């Protein structure tokens, strides 16, 4: 399974739960929405530190903020949890699905579904759109592939005490805990 990781605090309880249930995820850090670059680097380093502390594979999805800005162009003035966020989630999860396919993983999911500030319906719709996009790309490949396309695992990671456990692990690991989603448009709303 590929776990798209938005940050270490949101990943912590999810990873703990996955490991306790026999799933060893590959963590994929792809968050080109984060601004400024210094904020991105802090979150990235925390995510990597977390994965390494557990001996998990961690993949850096690279930072291309300009490309992300192209993806959300025209939606800059949208309020939080509206069309800009939907486009952001869909873009990031599509890249995550492509990474899962490249790694030969059957499933992908995201830690975005752990935030009480995000709409689960938007995240699930983005995951399904990503799965569909990768499936469509798979049929267009000019070279036959033995790789199947990954499926999105829709999961509400807030339930079952995971949100509370996240807050405990945040303190135990002494994680940096950001105060906004990451993009400059959400930053303005602070």
């Amino acid at each position: 399974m590929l776990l798209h990781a938005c940050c270490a605090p949101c990943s912590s309880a999810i990873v703990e739960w996955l490991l306790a249930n026999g799933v060893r995820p590959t963590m994929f850090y792809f968050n080109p929405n984060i601004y400024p670059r210094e904020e991105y680097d802090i979150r990235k380093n925390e995510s990597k530190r977390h994965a390494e502390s557990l001996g998990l594979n961690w993949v850096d999805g690279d930072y291309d903020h300009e490309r992300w800005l192209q993806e959300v162009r025209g939606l800059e003035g949208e309020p939080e949890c509206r069309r800009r966020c939907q486009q952001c989630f869909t873009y990031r999860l599509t890249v995550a699905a492509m990474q899962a396919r490249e790694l030969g993983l059957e499933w992908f999911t995201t830690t975005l579904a752990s935030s009480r500030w995000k709409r689960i319906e938007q995240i699930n719709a983005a995951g399904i759109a990503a799965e569909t996009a990768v499936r469509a790309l798979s049929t267009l490949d000019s070279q036959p592939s033995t790789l199947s396309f990954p499926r999105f695992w829709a999961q509400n990671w807030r339930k079952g005490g995971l949100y509370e456990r996240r807050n405990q692990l945040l303190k135990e690991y002494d994680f940096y805990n950001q105060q906004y989603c990451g993009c400059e448009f959400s930053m303005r709303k602070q």
Side-chain angles (χ1 to χ4, degrees):
M1 168 176 287
L2 183 128
L3 176 64
H4 167 261
C6 61
C7 65
C10 288
S11 300
S12 60
I14 295 169
V15 169
E16 184 179 77
W17 185 90
L18 288 170
L19 291 171
N21 286 281
V23 178
R24 191 163 185 78
T26 293
M27 294 176 67
F28 181 56
Y29 188 80
F30 181 70
N31 301 293
N33 59 306
I34 299 174
Y35 178 87
R37 178 64 190 247
E38 295 77 21
E39 178 75 14
Y40 171 85
D41 288 337
I42 291 168
R43 294 184 193 194
K44 174 182 155 178
N45 292 333
E46 287 288 86
S47 177
K48 187 174 183 182
R49 174 174 72 95
H50 177 232
E52 287 176 347
S53 75
L54 298 170
L56 297 175
N57 291 334
W58 184 89
V59 178
D60 186 353
D62 294 326
Y63 185 69
D64 189 348
H65 189 68
E66 290 304 313
R67 171 77 173 119
W68 178 82
L69 286 171
Q70 290 172 10
E71 288 292 325
V72 298
R73 182 163 285 127
L75 302 172
E76 297 89 345
E78 284 279 316
E80 290 299 295
C81 297
R82 297 295 194 317
R83 292 182 307 156
R84 183 187 65 247
C85 294
Q86 185 68 57
Q87 181 60 28
C88 175
F89 299 155
T90 301
Y91 172 60
R92 290 159 64 198
L93 292 182
T94 300
V95 172
M98 289 188 296
Q99 182 68 46
R101 181 174 187 260
E102 186 177 309
L103 295 172
L105 301 173
E106 292 182 51
W107 293 91
F108 71 102
T109 192
T110 182
T111 62
L112 292 168
S114 69
S115 172
R116 62 188 172 122
W117 305 110
K118 307 281 187 250
R119 291 186 176 162
I120 294 289
E121 303 80 30
Q122 282 188 312
I123 294 161
N124 289 341
I128 299 297
E131 178 183 321
T132 301
V134 171
R135 181 181 304 189
L137 287 173
S138 298
T139 62
L140 296 175
D141 284 348
S142 59
Q143 299 175 359
S145 174
T146 57
L147 295 178
S148 62
F149 61 89
R151 294 175 44 207
F152 178 66
W153 184 21
Q155 181 69 24
N156 183 344
W157 296 110
R158 299 174 201 160
K159 293 185 173 182
L162 290 178
Y163 188 78
E164 294 76 13
R165 182 63 179 145
R166 171 210 184 275
N167 292 333
Q168 291 171 344
L169 291 169
L170 187 146
K171 292 174 186 168
E172 287 178 28
Y173 279 97
D174 193 28
F175 285 137
Y176 167 76
N177 191 27
Q178 62 279 356
Q179 301 301 311
Y180 65 106
C181 99
C183 80
E184 58 262 46
F185 311 115
S186 69
M187 192 169 148
R188 284 189 221 146
K189 307 290 190 258
Q190 289 187 47

